[in-house]
């Protein structure tokens, strides 16, 4: 794609994977526990020094298809050396519509460049770049973190400075807050950066973080299917922010720095002061944290049935208490868990559409897939798509 677009060979290639969160959903921004792993789907940044004086050209290929020439957007920058994105009061300039792919590109480059400059790295020069990803955008698989971290790897490669991983993780999360307008937690950027092949990361989402690598079952024992509902409900962004806000309000009310520090008994004691919605939100967060620990125990014991049940309970809680599921995801989970050989299933990521994961025995992958495909078509008159994924490693510079 790069050669087609720019008629020469690239100089740098970096890649960062998407992720599946096994369990621990909507807990990261409450200082809670998560258990994500990266998958063998990546966002690539392919670049070379810019050819046109005073101009950078960044093309984003159509996410998902990665067909040659399927560029669906381009970002022409006046002059990367003269301040790429002049920030107005810490905010992105008006040209970057919040949440568009450009705001992610602008934010990640800007915030990482700030760090490499402080560390004495080479100034960024103009660049010609192609971005191509097979992490489905908006699918709950952290396509945005993959994009941000792949860009951050490129900024480091081109500036000649290697930053501390947690500085990059925090810079990219901050970019997502201020440029893309999503008040996300730190889970996605952290796992995309720190993951090791065949491991999930168990982490408490607050200083000092202390991520622990937890071995995942071998692929002949466990198949992990990602089922994309191919729907994204318009309320997703606003609803995500409103859940974050609800947790902050609860923290203030309960006098806790992190909602995840509070136990359910203390919330019950204040039952009369909080609404039913708030009570349900607190219940989800607290029980989900407990499920993360139980899931790690199951992984250690090789108890896949126990693990699956925890996932299904997590889904029920996200549907009923946290209310971030949707009927398409509920139907996928309900159908999957009645199929023989399935250990459990749940929605992943922010919710309101996107993907569900199904844990099953490798022998039943085909028949579960067929059953889900038929159910989905019959019920929603559209197709869901599915793919088996494997726990992969973290972001990398492939060509320096
Ligand atoms: C999105 C956010 C994460 C996390 C999940 C929900 O993926 O980026 O920080 O909050 O939703 O668990």
């Amino acid at each position: 794609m790069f050669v087609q677009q720019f008629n020469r060979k690239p100089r740098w290639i970096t890649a960062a994977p998407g992720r599946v969160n096994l369990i621990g959903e909507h807990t990261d921004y409450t200082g809670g526990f998560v258990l994500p792993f990266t998958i063998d789907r990546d966002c690539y940044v392919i670049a070379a020094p810019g050819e046109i004086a005073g101009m950078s050209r960044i093309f984003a290929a159509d996410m998902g298809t990665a067909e040659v020439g399927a560029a669906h957007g381009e970002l022409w920058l006046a002059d990367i050396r003269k301040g790429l994105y002049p920030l107005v009061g810490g905010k992105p300039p008006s040209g970057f519509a919040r949440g568009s792919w450009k705001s992610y590109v602008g934010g990640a480059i800007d915030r990482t460049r700030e760090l490499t400059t402080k560390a004495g790295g080479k100034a960024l020069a103009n660049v010609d770049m192609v971005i191509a990803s097979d992490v489905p955008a908006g699918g709950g698989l952290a396509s945005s973190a993959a994009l941000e971290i792949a860009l951050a790897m490129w900024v480091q490669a081109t500036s000649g400075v290697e930053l501390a991983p947690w500085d990059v993780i925090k810079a990219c999360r901050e970019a997502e807050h201020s440029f893309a307008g999503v008040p996300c937690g730190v889970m996605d950027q952290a796992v995309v950066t720190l993951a090791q092949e065949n491991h999930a990361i168990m982490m408490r989402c607050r200083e000092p973080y202390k991520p622990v690598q937890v071995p995942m079952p071998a692929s002949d024992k466990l198949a992990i299917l990602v089922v994309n509902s191919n729907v994204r409900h318009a309320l997703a962004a606003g609803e995500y922010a409103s859940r974050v806000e609800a947790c902050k309000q609860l923290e203030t009310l309960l006098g806790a720095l992190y909602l995840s520090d509070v136990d359910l008994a203390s919330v019950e004691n204040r039952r009369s002061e909080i609404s039913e919605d708030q009570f349900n939100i607190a219940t989800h967060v607290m029980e989900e944290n407990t499920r993360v620990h139980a899931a790690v125990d199951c992984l250690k014991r090789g108890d896949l049935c126990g693990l699956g049940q925890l996932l299904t309970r997590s889904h029920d809680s996200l549907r009923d208490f946290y209310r971030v599921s949707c009927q398409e995801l509920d139907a996928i989970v309900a159908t999957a868990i009645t199929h023989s050989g399935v250990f459990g299933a749940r929605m992943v990521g922010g919710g309101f559409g996107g993907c569900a994961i199904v844990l099953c025995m490798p022998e039943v992958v085909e028949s579960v897939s067929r059953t889900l495909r038929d159910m989905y078509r019959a019920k929603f008159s559209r197709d869901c798509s599915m793919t088996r994924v494997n726990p992969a490693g973290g972001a990398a510079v492939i060509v320096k």
Side-chain angles (χ1 to χ4, degrees), residues 103-166:
S103 69
Y104 289 94
V105 173
I109 296 182
D110 189 86
R111 291 297 142 99
T112 320
R113 185 189 59 153
E114 216 170 87
L115 297 178
T116 54
T117 308
K118 264 194 212 140
K122 261 191 278 164
L124 281 195
N126 284 309
V127 65
D128 287 339
M129 181 186 283
V130 165
I131 298 167
S133 180
D134 62 0
V135 185
L141 303 179
S143 58
S144 54
L147 172 59
E148 290 153 13
I149 299 292
L151 286 161
M153 300 301 282
W154 169 73
V155 173
Q156 291 174 82
T158 180
S159 69
V161 167
E162 203 174 311
L163 299 166
W166 276 100

Side-chain angles (χ1 to χ4, degrees), residues 12-17 42-45 146 149-154 156-157 192-195 393-400:
W12 303 281
I13 303 179
T14 64
D42 299 271
C43 176
Y44 286 87
V45 164
I149 299 292
L151 286 161
M153 300 301 282
W154 169 73
Q156 291 174 82
V192 165
T193 306
L194 304 172
V397 176
I398 296 172
V399 179
K400 233 182 206 168

Side-chain angles (χ1 to χ4, degrees), residues 17-21 25 36-39 140-142 187-188 191-192 348-350:
R19 65 99 189 91
V20 156
N21 186 18
E25 209 69 273
F37 60 90
T38 52
I39 56 175
L141 303 179
M187 166 172 70
D188 298 348
V191 66
V192 165
V348 281

Side-chain angles (χ1 to χ4, degrees), residues 19 21 24-29 34 140 142 144 176 182-189 240 349-351:
R19 65 99 189 91
N21 186 18
E25 209 69 273
H26 284 279
T27 52
D28 63 347
Y29 49 82
V34 294
S144 54
E176 185 139 350
V182 182
C184 62
V186 79
M187 166 172 70
D188 298 348
Q189 291 80 6
Y240 183 88

Side-chain angles (χ1 to χ4, degrees), residues 209-220:
Y209 297 105
K210 293 207 181 133
V212 177
Q213 302 284 345
V214 182
M216 287 288 286
S219 60
D220 60 346

Side-chain angles (χ1 to χ4, degrees), residues 40 55 62 95 102 117 151 156 172 178 191 209 215 280 319 328 354 362 373 394:
D40 41 0
M55 181 69 77
D62 194 15
K102 295 177 191 179
T117 308
L151 286 161
Q156 291 174 82
C172 288
S178 54
V191 66
Y209 297 105
N280 288 341
R319 181 192 60 212
E328 293 88 347
R373 223 173 260 130

Side-chain angles (χ1 to χ4, degrees), residues 282-298:
T283 304
H284 168 76
V285 168
M286 285 150 208
E287 293 183 348
E288 186 76 353
N289 279 322
T290 310
R291 280 189 286 267
V292 173
H293 292 285
V296 172
D297 287 345
C298 287

